[in-house]
Structure formats: C-alpha cells, structure tokens
Amino acid sequence: MRAVIVAIGVAFLISLFCTPIAIKVFARLKAGQPIRSNLGLASNEGKKGTPTMGGVVFILATVIAYVAGHLALTTLPDAQIAQVEPTITALVLLGLMVFSGAVGFIDDFLKVRKRHSGGLNKRGKLAGQILVGAVFGAVAVYFPSSMTDAGGNATNTETVGSTTLSFIRDVPALEIGKIGAVIVIIMVVMAATNGVNLTDGLDGLATGASVMVLAAYALIAFWQYRHWCADPNYTESYCYTVRDPLEIALIAGAAAGACVGFLWWNTSPARIFMGDTGALGLGGLIAGMAMSTRTILLLPILGGLFVIITMSVVIQIISFRTTGKRVFRMSPLQHHFELAGWSEVNIVVRFWIIAGIGVAIALGLFYSEFLAAVS
C-alpha cells in the first residue's frame, strides 16, 4: 500500500505544480485551442486561445510517479511477491497511455499549427488507435509472467491480457483465442479513447470522470493483490488469476493523482485543456486497466458516463442519416444540455454524479462477486 500512496502523492504534486509551468510554456508557444464560434455554445465564450495539450503534464507525472512508487516498493517486506523490477504489465499500461497520447498530440499539434479545430483526419486517428491497440495487445497476450518461488518453481505464468472474455473474472465459456483477444483489445482501446475524447468538451468534465474510474481500478487491482493466486501466503480458492495486480494499482493510483492535480487548473474556468493528448492517453490507460484486471465487460458500467455520451453521438448520427432529424439539439450529450440553458458548471457536476453512480454500481458488483465466492 505504501508504494501506491507514494505514487499517488508524487503524481499529484508533479501535476499540481508543473501544470502552471505548462500553461506559460504553451501560451508562449501560442499553442491555444482553436474554438468554433458559430455553434452557439455558452461554454465557448472566452475560451479562444486557452492553452491545450495539457495531457502531456499528467502523462509524464504518471510515468515519473510509477518510478517513484517502485523505489518505495523496494523497501516492502513482501517485495518478493510484488516483482520489484518493472514488468511487462507496466510496459503495456504505460505504453497504451503514452502512445495513445502521442496520437492525440499529433492531432492537437495539427490543430494548433493550422489554427483550425480540424486536426488529424478520422482515418489517421483511427489508424493510430488500431496500431497502438494491436502492438500492446499482442504484447499483453503473448508474453506470460515468469515469477518463481525460492525453489525455482513457477508461481505465476499469467499474461497481462486474457484469451477469455471477462466480466469480474475470466468467463471460461467465452474463450476467444489469442488472435481474438488482440482484436478485442483493439476494440476496447478504440472505444475507451473515443469515449473519453467525446466526453472532453466542458471544463473538468472528462478529467473528473476519469479520476473516478482510475481510482476504482486502483481499488480493484489492490483488492486483487491482497487476494492474489500468485501470493504463496494466500491459499484460498477464490483468489484472482491476474498478472502483477500491485503494478496495476500503482499505475491507476498514479494516474488518478495526476488527474486530480491537473483538475485544479482544468476546472471552470479552465486555464488549460487536456486536448486529445490527454483524452486519448487516459482512454488508452483505462482500456489497459480493464484488460489487465480481467474486467473488460465491467468497463461499460464502470465508465457509464463515457458510454452514455458516446451513444448520444451514435444515436444522433443514425437518426440524422436515416430520417434527416436530430434527436438532440447537439451531440455529444453535454452540448445538448448547454443549448437547453444549463450552465457549464451544472452540467459538469451532474455528469460527475452520473459517473460516480456507474463507478459505485461496478464496485458493488465486483465486491458482491467476491462475497458470493467466499460464501
């Protein structure tokens, strides 16, 4: 637990104190977010020129905090079951965050350079998401752990990702094979990155919702670590067959802490936007969390707000293309309520409540499954 707390604290402090520096740097570089002024949105008033690409700060803060957490991990008495050296789990999770963020960075850079809200085209962004998901999905599925006990016997041969679809644990009846698993990981990466990206549109909305989801994954992963099948001191049959759960908890906690520090400056009125850099980076990491904790089918509940907002866009497109009519005044959904007269702060707080409800339901299902297994 000490390592997770250290990672959270370091990430929070780096993000909190380095974000103002990033604001000044991006403002000096004139890296302001292009704003479309013809949409009639009250939230767009006065936001032109606000620095973007702030996701760079909390992505770097997460990586640095991971290293700090590992330094604290070396002092743990049970470090022999925690795998003190960095693992492939960390490579996959941080890789998904960094390289998904890199795709978003290219998009943000092109927007800033062109002084236009259209950055990387849809095909380019989609290709980047597929490439990132495929590379790290393959690593997650094809490289098992090599943890051994004092006698040299294997204690954990799990891969980061599973060849079986999972809800709260792997569902044996839903075996999909390695190639199928990589395809599923690509789909989850695409869904999560686009979900967070669509949610990012009002000050602090996507950041606050992501904090809740990442904090939930930190709790889930740490609970799995305390009931881990690879722990020689834990012999109960209802243990969790995952790989490196403490690594997962450490990274999830670090990312949540980094987002809280960033939210200090990103809340209304925002002094900096996370941009596609941050939105895609967070989406990639959240997808990795679902994969590594074996809770892929729980993600739509845990990230319920992202699903609702994404579906509002899908419904709007289908309705307009088939009937010529719009269901919402504007999509994504948060802009519909803006045009209905809700203030930006009201929308953000109420949507945070929706996000919190989804997280609470998902955690309840996770824990109730454990109680059922115990009983």
Side-chain angles (χ1 to χ4, degrees):
M1 188 65 176
R2 184 191 313 167
V4 177
I5 293 174
V6 168
I8 293 172
V10 169
F12 170 74
L13 292 174
I14 291 175
S15 193
L16 180 66
F17 292 110
C18 289
T19 300
I21 299 173
I23 293 172
K24 294 179 181 178
V25 171
F26 289 139
R28 188 172 301 169
L29 295 174
K30 297 182 179 180
Q33 175 70 42
I35 301 292
R36 293 175 63 184
S37 58
N38 61 342
L39 298 178
L41 297 175
S43 64
N44 284 354
E45 297 293 331
K47 291 188 177 181
K48 186 176 181 180
T50 301
T52 187
M53 296 189 283
V56 170
V57 178
F58 58 72
I59 290 175
L60 289 176
T62 301
V63 174
I64 295 171
Y66 168 75
V67 175
H70 259 274
L71 293 176
L73 192 61
T74 59
T75 65
L76 290 176
D78 57 348
Q80 69 274 11
I81 65 163
Q83 283 204 333
V84 176
E85 278 87 24
T87 63
I88 287 184
T89 300
L91 171 67
V92 170
L93 294 179
L94 294 176
L96 283 170
M97 186 182 199
V98 171
F99 285 94
S100 294
V103 174
F105 182 85
I106 295 172
D107 186 44
D108 287 332
F109 178 79
L110 292 176
K111 289 177 183 176
V112 170
R113 186 177 181 181
K114 296 176 181 178
R115 305 294 178 188
H116 190 272
S117 57
L120 189 64
N121 61 50
K122 293 180 180 179
R123 290 184 179 179
K125 190 180 293 186
L126 185 63
Q129 293 168 339
I130 292 174
L131 179 62
V132 172
V135 170
F136 290 100
V139 173
V141 171
Y142 284 93
F143 290 87
S145 175
S146 58
M147 285 183 62
T148 58
D149 58 21
N153 300 311
T155 60
N156 184 14
T157 58
E158 293 294 324
T159 53
V160 181
S162 175
T163 58
T164 301
L165 288 180
S166 56
F167 180 52
I168 294 172
R169 300 173 190 264
D170 285 339
V171 182
L174 300 179
E175 176 70 34
I176 55 177
K178 291 184 177 181
I179 295 177
V182 174
I183 293 173
V184 167
I185 292 169
I186 293 172
M187 294 172 62
V188 174
V189 169
M190 291 171 60
T193 51
N194 286 303
V196 178
N197 197 24
L198 290 171
T199 303
D200 183 34
L202 300 182
D203 295 349
L205 177 57
T207 309
S210 297
V211 167
M212 297 182 205
V213 173
L214 290 167
Y217 273 123
L219 292 173
I220 288 172
F222 192 77
W223 184 263
Q224 291 176 332
Y225 171 65
R226 301 305 299 175
H227 305 85
W228 190 24
C229 294
D231 184 351
N233 300 317
Y234 193 84
T235 58
E236 302 296 342
S237 60
Y238 42 82
C239 60
Y240 293 94
T241 54
V242 297
R243 173 173 177 166
D244 312 315
L246 187 58
E247 289 275 88
I248 304 169
L250 195 154
I251 294 171
C259 286
V260 171
F262 181 77
L263 185 60
W264 183 273
W265 306 101
N266 181 235
T267 192
S268 184
R271 292 185 56 189
I272 188 170
F273 301 138
M274 70 166 68
D276 280 22
T277 305
L280 269 61
L282 288 175
L285 179 59
I286 289 171
M289 290 290 159
M291 169 190 62
S292 58
T293 57
R294 311 293 172 90
T295 57
I296 282 179
L297 298 180
L298 187 65
L299 178 58
I301 301 174
L302 194 61
L305 177 64
F306 303 138
V307 174
I308 292 170
I309 289 177
T310 301
M311 288 308 299
S312 73
V313 175
V314 174
I315 291 170
Q316 186 86 322
I317 292 173
I318 292 175
S319 176
F320 187 74
R321 289 184 177 179
T322 56
T323 68
K325 297 180 180 180
R326 292 180 172 86
V327 177
F328 307 103
R329 300 183 184 189
M330 183 181 288
S331 65
L333 188 61
Q334 60 268 31
H335 298 314
H336 166 82
F337 289 105
E338 257 195 294
L339 293 177
W342 290 23
S343 71
E344 181 175 9
V345 173
N346 275 342
I347 297 170
V348 170
V349 172
R350 288 168 181 171
F351 275 38
W352 279 353
I353 292 171
I354 294 172
I357 291 171
V359 167
I361 293 173
L363 288 176
L365 289 171
F366 179 83
Y367 187 61
S368 63
E369 188 276 341
F370 179 80
L371 292 180
V374 170
S375 62

